[in-house]
Amino acid sequence: MATSRILRYVESRKNLTGSVFGLVGLGLTVAGLAGSLWPVVVGGLYAAGALIAPPERPDTPEFARPSEQLEELRQDFAKLRDYLTEVSLPAPAAGRLTDLNELITSLLDPGWVADALITDPEAVHSLSRAIRQDIPESVDAYVRTRWWSRLQPSAEPPEHHLERQLTVLHDEAHALAAGIHEAEARRQESHTHYLEERRQAP
């Protein structure tokens, strides 16, 4: 720890600037201008250089590019689908989950839809939350509650909650897809207006 701090200081702007000023002091000493006070002159110039040096600027953190984020999301979705194949679900919930998986697959498949998705950070976040949190949590909660309901039957069967949750998630994913389609439609319309205005220009 101490060694790394020393190395960081040696390479710092303060030390480098102070060293340059200190060399100037040594030059004055060699020229006979510092006299017997040369250690004070050299030390003072070093300190002055270290004080006026600009502060260290930490490196900007590097984050995954949007395309990399989408690829990681595809990998996590593949893991989720593997997990879901091991879970036994009632037919209505299984059907709703199949529809949801197909919709997410169509959004993540490489192509123009995924390219449009990349440009919308909120959409990527929403899809990421569904894959990494909402869907697995809904299914896991159903599995755990179903086990308890066998011992202590509840008023509302756990599969009803699962169906309602998957319906909400499907609606959210459908709205996300509709938003991408709407953005592309606006883009097409804008290009039409541009071409028509260009034709009418003198």
Side-chain angles (χ1 to χ4, degrees):
M1 181 71 73
T3 303
S4 62
R5 290 178 180 175
I6 293 173
L7 290 176
R8 282 200 300 269
Y9 181 77
V10 169
E11 298 173 352
S12 68
R13 296 178 182 177
K14 288 184 175 296
N15 181 57
L16 294 176
T17 306
S19 297
V20 171
F21 276 57
L23 289 174
V24 172
L26 288 176
L28 294 176
T29 300
V30 172
L33 299 176
S36 60
L37 297 177
W38 69 268
V40 177
V41 173
V42 172
L45 286 174
Y46 175 88
L51 286 174
I52 67 172
E56 294 294 322
R57 180 176 60 85
D59 295 333
T60 303
E62 294 184 4
F63 300 107
R65 294 189 295 271
S67 59
E68 295 173 340
Q69 291 179 344
L70 214 57
E71 183 56 36
E72 292 175 357
L73 202 52
R74 291 189 185 104
Q75 295 173 6
D76 289 345
F77 184 52
K79 295 177 184 177
L80 174 63
R81 300 193 73 165
D82 289 341
Y83 158 72
L84 294 175
T85 59
E86 301 178 2
V87 180
S88 176
L89 300 178
R96 178 55 71 184
L97 185 59
T98 298
D99 293 341
L100 177 57
N101 285 342
E102 290 176 352
L103 182 52
I104 294 176
T105 298
S106 66
L107 290 169
L108 288 177
D109 277 346
W112 72 267
V113 176
D115 292 341
L117 181 66
I118 289 175
T119 63
D120 188 345
E122 289 298 325
V124 173
H125 172 71
S126 177
L127 201 57
S128 172
R129 182 179 58 194
I131 292 171
R132 293 167 173 161
Q133 176 180 333
D134 294 335
I135 297 175
E137 185 172 325
S138 295
V139 173
D140 183 62
Y142 162 75
V143 172
R144 288 184 284 110
T145 307
R146 178 185 60 180
W147 185 86
W148 281 106
S149 65
R150 292 172 179 173
L151 302 178
Q152 298 175 330
S154 58
E156 186 173 7
E159 55 266 25
H160 289 181
H161 282 287
L162 177 61
E163 292 171 29
R164 290 165 57 188
Q165 292 166 6
L166 293 177
T167 297
V168 171
L169 293 173
H170 182 274
D171 291 345
E172 288 182 352
H174 186 271
L176 192 155
I180 294 176
H181 174 262
E182 183 180 352
E184 290 300 310
R186 287 198 303 267
R187 179 170 172 266
Q188 183 188 35
E189 183 179 354
S190 297
H191 190 57
T192 300
H193 292 330
Y194 162 73
L195 293 177
E196 291 175 345
E197 292 173 357
R198 189 177 69 181
R199 182 183 62 183
Q200 297 170 2

